[in-house]
Amino acid sequence: MANITPKENYLRLSRGEMPEYVPVWDLGFRTPNSPVWSVSPSIMGPPMMGPPPSEGNTRAEWTDAWGITRTAVEEAGNAGLPKPGHFILDDVTKWDKAVKWPEYPEGFESADWGAMAASDLKDFDREMVGVSAGGGFGPFTMLISYMGFTEGLCALLEEPEAVKEMLDHICSYYMPIIEKVVEHYKPDIFTMGDDTAAKYAPFFSVEVYQDIFKPIYARMAKPAVDRGIPIQFHNCGKCEAFIPDMIDFGVKYWDPAQESNDLVQVMQEYKGQITVVGGFDFVPETDSDLSEEKVRAYARTAIDKYAPGGGYIFCGGIVGRASDIERTTKLNAAIQDEVKTYGGQFYMK
């Protein structure tokens, strides 16, 4: 089918080149269909978000490393969301009273990062598969996690300087981690993200984005950009207004590029500058009779619409209730298989 490796096929798009076949982004998980595998330093231990819910307890709560109480939401596949109505910062000018740095893992500074990277990457065939590594945090998501939407959005308008101070302080915690990951793991793609938009509109203006958030993203991206490593940026919702700024701080891939954006226009206007990774909303319908045949058709429709001319990577799947994981897994496997078979031959037509 192809004359190049899955890694090279994926990385071609960061240079504005045509792939041989439609690549797929499955969040970097190590599946047979993945052109990119994710890795994180073993010294960092469990995710900073906290432990998963205990078996049979889909409403488990925990306090994460930043002191934020989170609740596992069954409808969102047990994703840990801030506990409703339980926010620990109501006056952003007093952020320093609430925001405390977590302790770095024991041995963080003295670790042999080169040896650790070699060990963590030992199962990677770097000729065939790209390595993605992430770092940093979502500044808007963090602000909302501390304050909730109402107070957080008001803070952006009423106390922007205090918000900047708070986010810059949090960013300073992550920068040593980012620098070590980029230096020693040498990822092919550096992943970042935030959630700055709802389905049909951003949460704030382009001016607020440029003034408050863009400098934080650029700071986190700089170690990778300085080494020529392309950035893949996760941002759900209708955030197309932010694309020029994303390109400015080094973003080459945008996921999950949902269809509330005018993706065809984006691909035309920014051709060769940014790759649309998506085109398939994660919940195309809530139909309880959603079948393998239907999701395969959805995948083909997305490829037919967005893949011509290149600049496109398929990304999408079904997000179901945690209690319905078997059905969700089966549907997602069908989607991935359709992308592999149909997308694999697409540019040979």
Side-chain angles (χ1 to χ4, degrees):
M1 177 180 70
N3 298 315
I4 61 174
T5 66
K7 169 183 174 178
E8 174 58 20
N9 193 59
Y10 197 96
L11 292 178
R12 276 187 174 188
L13 286 97
S14 70
R15 303 187 294 268
E17 300 171 2
M18 279 291 295
E20 283 197 358
Y21 54 92
V22 178
V24 60
W25 172 253
D26 59 358
L27 306 180
F29 295 129
R30 303 181 190 187
T31 68
N33 209 19
S34 299
V36 179
W37 285 6
S38 64
V39 66
S40 58
S42 53
I43 197 172
M44 299 308 296
M48 293 288 289
M49 295 292 283
S54 57
E55 185 175 354
N57 181 7
T58 59
R59 292 289 176 181
E61 291 183 3
W62 66 90
T63 299
D64 72 14
W66 290 94
I68 298 165
T69 300
R70 297 188 177 273
T71 300
V73 179
E74 200 263 352
E75 292 86 350
N78 280 337
L81 304 182
K83 183 178 179 180
H86 190 82
F87 302 109
I88 59 178
L89 181 61
D90 58 11
D91 181 350
V92 75
T93 65
K94 300 177 181 177
W95 65 265
D96 57 324
K97 307 297 182 186
V99 179
K100 307 297 181 185
W101 277 11
E103 291 186 7
Y104 290 112
E106 184 178 355
F108 178 84
E109 292 294 342
S110 60
D112 184 339
W113 280 77
M116 182 167 58
S119 176
D120 290 341
L121 294 168
K122 67 180 184 301
D123 295 329
F124 288 67
D125 181 350
R126 299 202 67 169
E127 292 294 320
M128 294 293 295
V129 177
V131 168
S132 69
F137 70 116
F140 178 69
T141 306
M142 184 71 88
L143 176 69
I144 297 306
S145 295
Y146 269 112
M147 303 192 72
F149 271 92
T150 300
E151 295 298 328
L153 291 172
C154 287
L156 291 176
L157 295 177
E158 296 174 352
E159 300 289 350
E161 296 308 313
V163 173
K164 292 177 193 177
E165 290 174 4
M166 171 183 164
L167 297 180
D168 193 61
H169 176 78
I170 296 172
C171 186
S172 293
Y173 173 85
Y174 285 104
M175 289 310 299
I177 303 171
I178 293 172
E179 304 238 3
K180 289 183 181 296
V181 167
V182 170
E183 178 182 357
H184 296 285
Y185 287 75
K186 298 177 174 58
D188 299 290
I189 293 172
F190 187 74
T191 53
M192 297 170 50
D194 207 356
D195 289 318
T196 59
K199 184 172 183 179
Y200 296 115
F203 290 122
F204 42 76
S205 68
V206 171
E207 290 75 18
V208 169
Y209 186 95
Q210 292 172 339
D211 181 44
I212 296 177
F213 297 103
K214 183 179 178 180
I216 299 293
Y217 301 138
R219 183 181 176 193
M220 290 187 288
K222 189 175 187 302
V225 171
D226 285 351
R227 292 170 172 82
I229 299 170
I231 305 297
Q232 179 154 333
F233 196 83
H234 169 94
N235 205 155
C236 301
K238 188 176 175 61
C239 58
E240 60 188 310
F242 303 144
I243 288 177
D245 294 298
M246 291 163 59
I247 292 172
D248 277 353
F249 62 81
V251 176
K252 298 294 185 180
Y253 302 91
W254 163 41
D255 76 79
Q258 294 175 294
E259 290 198 289
S260 55
N261 300 276
D262 187 345
L263 299 182
V264 172
Q265 175 62 32
V266 167
M267 295 175 73
Q268 292 173 350
E269 186 170 354
Y270 303 104
K271 185 175 179 61
Q273 299 180 68
I274 194 166
T275 299
V276 164
V277 185
F280 180 103
D281 287 353
F282 277 73
V283 186
E285 60 178 68
T286 56
D287 180 2
S288 61
D289 295 325
L290 196 61
S291 64
E292 287 189 43
E293 182 179 351
K294 281 186 178 181
V295 297
R296 285 179 181 273
Y298 281 132
R300 292 193 299 272
T301 297
I303 291 170
D304 287 342
K305 184 175 183 179
Y306 300 116
Y312 175 68
I313 293 172
F314 181 92
C315 173
I318 306 302
V319 178
R321 289 175 175 267
S323 59
D324 201 18
I325 188 65
E326 184 175 343
R327 173 176 174 270
T328 302
T329 300
K330 186 176 181 180
L331 291 174
N332 283 327
I335 292 169
Q336 292 293 315
D337 181 68
E338 194 66 28
V339 176
K340 182 178 180 180
T341 55
Y342 186 75
Q345 301 293 327
F346 187 80
Y347 294 120
M348 300 179 185
K349 295 178 181 179

